[in-house]
Amino acid sequence: MKKGIHPENYRPVVFKDMSNEVTFISRSTINTKETIVLDGVEYPLVKLEITSASHPFYTGKHKLVDTAGRVDKFLSRYGKKK
């Protein structure tokens, strides 16, 4: 492996799934403006729309996540025709 190409500022960061409020801590170099207090410790916060905790493939639940009417637009275009 080449030396000096990987970042050295890894730190614990909280990732929060906004669809079901699940949080998990991982190490990352991502820059964030928001923070969250978890177990009495303040961490940088990264908000995610979907994670393995809410994705239908991993949960086994078929739920359509509609952002900006994309599902309705698709169904009106390609839905069942009478």
Side-chain angles (χ1 to χ4, degrees):
M1 289 179 47
K2 291 185 179 180
K3 295 190 186 290
I5 62 170
H6 298 286
E8 305 227 354
N9 59 341
Y10 284 100
R11 67 196 187 291
V13 176
V14 173
F15 292 90
K16 183 175 183 179
D17 186 337
M18 299 309 292
S19 63
N20 60 5
E21 304 295 319
V22 172
T23 59
F24 60 93
I25 299 174
S26 183
R27 292 173 46 90
S28 178
T29 61
I30 192 167
N31 293 324
T32 65
K33 294 181 180 179
E34 297 182 62
T35 60
I36 189 171
V37 176
L38 198 63
D39 298 330
V41 180
E42 187 173 6
Y43 296 102
L45 174 65
V46 177
K47 294 180 179 178
L48 303 172
E49 287 185 27
I50 195 162
T51 64
S52 61
S54 62
H55 194 281
F57 180 80
Y58 298 105
T59 62
K61 298 177 184 174
H62 295 285
K63 176 183 170 188
L64 295 175
V65 178
D66 189 9
T67 55
R70 293 182 191 153
V71 172
D72 292 332
K73 187 176 179 182
F74 177 84
L75 290 176
S76 68
R77 214 183 258 177
Y78 304 108
K80 291 183 179 179
K81 299 195 178 184
K82 294 181 181 178

